[in-house]
Amino acid sequence: MGGFKQFLLRGNIVELAVAVIVGATFSGLVQALVADLITPLIGAVTGGKNPDFAQYSFTINGSEFKYGDFLNHLISFVIIAAVVYWLVVTPMTKLISLFERDRAATTKQCPECLSDIPIEARRCAHCTVELVPEAEKPQV
């Protein structure tokens, strides 16, 4: 029971709960955007009268296929994916690259097996090739 209490009191669970609530609210907002703005805009461009994609369907052997509802969800998904990409992924990638750029190199690449090894290493831990520092290499 103590482990469960510790798990609940850890900060990650609260952040996850907040993210789920905000995500669900954002999803509702995007669905309203699609239903109330984008669908009528498509109707205005195509000359149709406010198309309601949710009503589009066809029937085969008594089974109804609601492809219009799928179109609404597809448009919502594309909008959510674009917003997440442009407002979360792209800025985080740039932020991480700024931190990576300023960090001093702690590893180098082995010339034989191309694995990452510590800069101070004199022998590769992966292929055991002997690494001679530049200062100790014989002059040709």
Side-chain angles (χ1 to χ4, degrees):
M1 191 66 165
F4 182 68
K5 181 179 176 184
Q6 185 180 12
F7 170 73
L8 288 178
L9 294 178
R10 203 169 29 180
N12 295 348
I13 193 86
V14 174
E15 292 171 2
L16 180 62
V18 170
V20 167
I21 292 169
V22 169
T25 305
F26 182 70
S27 176
L29 179 66
V30 170
Q31 288 175 358
L33 172 74
V34 169
D36 299 338
L37 297 176
I38 293 180
T39 303
L41 181 64
I42 292 172
V45 169
T46 61
K49 182 182 174 187
N50 193 9
D52 184 10
F53 294 142
Q55 302 302 319
Y56 292 168
S57 66
F58 61 90
T59 305
I60 297 176
N61 291 335
S63 295
E64 184 178 16
F65 295 87
K66 298 180 179 182
Y67 69 91
D69 189 46
F70 175 75
L71 284 175
N72 280 342
H73 284 79
L74 180 64
I75 293 170
S76 295
F77 170 76
V78 169
I79 291 172
I80 289 173
V83 167
V84 167
Y85 179 77
W86 292 108
L87 296 182
V88 177
V89 174
T90 302
M92 285 303 294
T93 303
K94 288 182 181 179
L95 183 65
I96 289 171
S97 70
L98 287 175
F99 286 122
E100 293 289 323
R101 183 185 66 198
D102 293 339
R103 190 172 65 184
T106 59
T107 62
K108 62 182 176 183
Q109 208 171 38
C110 173
E112 291 293 321
C113 67
L114 302 179
S115 60
D116 289 335
I117 55 175
I119 288 180
E120 300 295 322
R122 299 182 66 79
R123 185 176 293 275
C124 178
H126 303 283
C127 69
T128 68
V129 70
E130 189 172 348
L131 305 168
V132 180
E134 289 292 325
E136 296 177 16
K137 283 188 179 178
Q139 299 296 327
V140 178

